[in-house]
Amino acid sequence: MISTKAFLRQNGRYLLPGAMLMFLSCFGQTFFIGTFASDIRTQFDLSHSQWGTIYMLGTGTSALVMLWAGTLADHIRVRILGPIMLICLACACLALSFLTWVWALPFVILALRFTAQGMLPHISAVAMARWFAASRGRALAFATMGFMVAEAIMPITVVWLKGRIDWHLIWVAAACFCLLMAPAIYALLRQERDPQFIATDTTTLGMRGRSWTRWEAIRHPVFLSAIPAMMTFPAFSTVFFFQQTYFAEIKGWSHLALVSVFPLGTLSFALSTLTFGWLIDRLGASRLMPFYLLPLVAAFALHALAPSVGWVALGVVLMGLAGGGQATLPASVWSEFFGTKHLGAIKATVAAFAVLGSALGPGLSGWMIDNGVPYETQLAAFAVCFAFASAVLVIPFARARRALAT
């Protein structure tokens, strides 16, 4: 295996666009949108449950769209599909900036979540998993660095900027940035490899030495057992970032103090992603998958009990540790078990479940808050859900690993 330095030097032209797409996905991620929660609720006079329901409707609909749109990554070059999504994302950012009608808010959330949270990471992950076989773990880890940088700097930057300029202008700036990056990605991938060529000629085979279609894969026990993990991670991590202003409010902390610990999570996220990438290339993703959620059990228990921001900081670090697994393991697992020929379609289904989870979480949490369920109680319940999701992976994945040898 070549050194990391040589790997980056030889493949930087393909890795950098993957990282850029991950970074730009921040404009549709909850850790970014959540910093504007109180502003949006104030502008449109929304309760917690109303805002959560709107977020759930927009995000949930994007999950349905992903079932179809995600398959485009199997047929359209990244240099075309990526810039198209960035232009659509820029339009969504501008729409939110100038929006005055509350009835249109779910459609704007749909556009933000579909283009940024759904398609941009999906395009990046499918490209990395397909273009790199022996070094798939490292490629996914490098691309995820773009997401990490965004998660580290964007929330605290936005909170700082909101104290100095009107929040609507931040969304205008986001739109302009997306429009600038679209031609940059196109230029970087001017000699990009063809997904269809790779899928037909250098396909990686899955279990039993064959390529699995989407409909075959989603009926397999290994896929079914992964659904709780694929949904709970985005659902409850989304809740944590979605309710960040409310969490700070009920604890009596400043919002800036809370978001100031987020970069610690990003640092652990970075180290964890590199570690998981290294382990995937040596042990295989299927051996690691059943265990990556365990740090979240401790993280959300800490959040539930947190008497100070310091406790939350430790919980955020643990969330970052699990995030490294979430960023690298699933895409590699589907490649190992089901092959890469139909990877875009299979991962689109996974992405749809993940987006659906991130839709249900805020809606459920907002409804519980308005109905008197303490937020700390919710966090403790989420910890239990993570433990369950981890446990159900063990047996199906052990059996599936045996099928890889046949």
Side-chain angles (χ1 to χ4, degrees):
M1 181 178 292
I2 64 174
S3 68
T4 298
K5 183 177 180 180
F7 174 71
L8 295 177
R9 184 175 61 252
Q10 294 173 14
N11 300 286
R13 60 184 299 177
Y14 299 111
L15 295 170
L16 183 57
M20 292 169 65
L21 290 173
M22 287 287 193
F23 179 92
L24 293 162
S25 76
C26 75
F27 299 122
Q29 299 290 349
T30 303
F31 67 75
F32 186 84
I33 299 174
T35 60
F36 299 92
S38 61
D39 305 291
I40 294 172
R41 287 179 53 234
T42 299
Q43 175 167 321
F44 296 104
D45 193 23
L46 301 171
S47 67
H48 286 286
S49 61
Q50 288 172 330
W51 168 228
T53 299
I54 287 172
Y55 202 77
M56 178 178 67
L57 289 173
T59 307
T61 305
S62 73
L64 297 176
V65 179
M66 277 295 299
L67 288 172
W68 167 78
T71 63
L72 296 176
D74 285 332
H75 309 290
I76 302 177
R77 295 172 183 266
V78 175
R79 67 169 175 166
I80 303 297
L81 190 58
I84 288 174
M85 287 299 112
L86 287 176
I87 293 170
C88 293
L89 174 57
C91 293
C93 292
L94 288 175
L96 182 57
S97 177
F98 294 104
L99 189 65
T100 57
W101 306 302
V102 68
W103 61 264
L105 187 56
F107 297 98
V108 175
I109 297 300
L110 162 62
L112 287 171
R113 301 290 275 166
F114 166 68
T115 55
Q117 187 227 9
M119 285 299 292
L120 293 185
H122 173 69
I123 294 168
S124 176
V126 169
M128 296 302 102
R130 177 170 289 140
W131 290 346
F132 300 92
S135 300
R136 183 178 293 131
R138 280 193 289 180
L140 288 165
F142 182 85
T144 305
M145 291 296 171
F147 181 88
M148 295 175 200
V149 172
E151 189 178 48
I153 66 175
M154 295 307 287
I156 194 167
T157 300
V158 167
V159 173
W160 182 82
L161 284 173
K162 285 202 304 175
R164 288 156 179 80
I165 63 174
D166 182 76
W167 67 270
H168 298 85
L169 295 177
I170 299 174
W171 285 100
V172 174
C176 294
F177 187 54
C178 290
L179 291 175
L180 286 172
M181 290 299 102
I185 288 175
Y186 182 85
L188 283 169
L189 292 176
R190 60 187 179 276
Q191 295 181 356
E192 178 201 353
R193 288 173 267 188
D194 188 335
Q196 290 181 319
F197 173 82
I198 295 171
T200 54
D201 290 300
T202 59
T203 281
T204 299
L205 301 178
M207 291 180 292
R208 302 187 182 93
R210 66 185 185 88
S211 297
W212 293 63
T213 67
R214 168 159 64 177
W215 302 115
E216 291 173 332
I218 64 176
R219 294 195 299 267
H220 194 278
V222 75
F223 187 95
L224 296 174
S225 70
I227 290 176
M230 294 300 97
M231 293 187 71
T232 54
F233 192 111
F236 304 140
S237 296
T238 295
V239 168
F240 177 78
F241 291 109
F242 185 77
Q243 301 290 9
Q244 59 183 270
T245 54
Y246 177 68
F247 190 30
E249 177 186 328
I250 62 175
K251 290 293 188 178
W253 308 326
S254 72
H255 190 190
L256 187 59
L258 179 61
V259 299
S260 67
V261 305
F262 289 178
L264 296 176
T266 304
L267 178 60
S268 69
F269 188 6
L271 295 174
S272 175
T273 300
L274 292 173
T275 301
F276 272 110
W278 182 84
L279 290 172
I280 287 169
D281 291 339
R282 285 157 178 77
L283 302 178
S286 59
R287 295 183 182 276
L288 305 169
M289 187 79 171
F291 309 105
Y292 83 99
L293 289 177
L294 294 180
L296 291 176
V297 179
F300 277 76
L302 284 171
H303 293 328
L305 298 171
S308 67
V309 175
W311 285 51
V312 176
L314 180 56
V316 167
V317 168
L318 290 170
M319 289 176 68
L321 293 179
Q326 180 77 0
T328 54
L329 288 172
S332 294
V333 159
W334 313 133
S335 303
E336 285 184 26
F337 285 146
F338 304 124
T340 58
K341 184 175 183 179
H342 304 287
L343 181 61
I346 294 169
K347 194 178 179 304
T349 308
V350 177
F353 277 111
V355 174
L356 179 60
S358 68
L360 295 175
L364 176 63
S365 178
W367 178 84
M368 287 192 291
I369 288 172
D370 283 351
N371 284 273
V373 179
Y375 185 54
E376 292 92 339
T377 302
Q378 296 181 36
L379 294 170
F382 299 160
V384 175
C385 292
F386 285 125
F388 170 79
S390 183
V392 299
L393 292 171
V394 176
I395 295 177
F397 271 69
R399 291 174 176 172
R401 282 198 302 274
R402 290 196 289 270
L404 284 173
T406 62

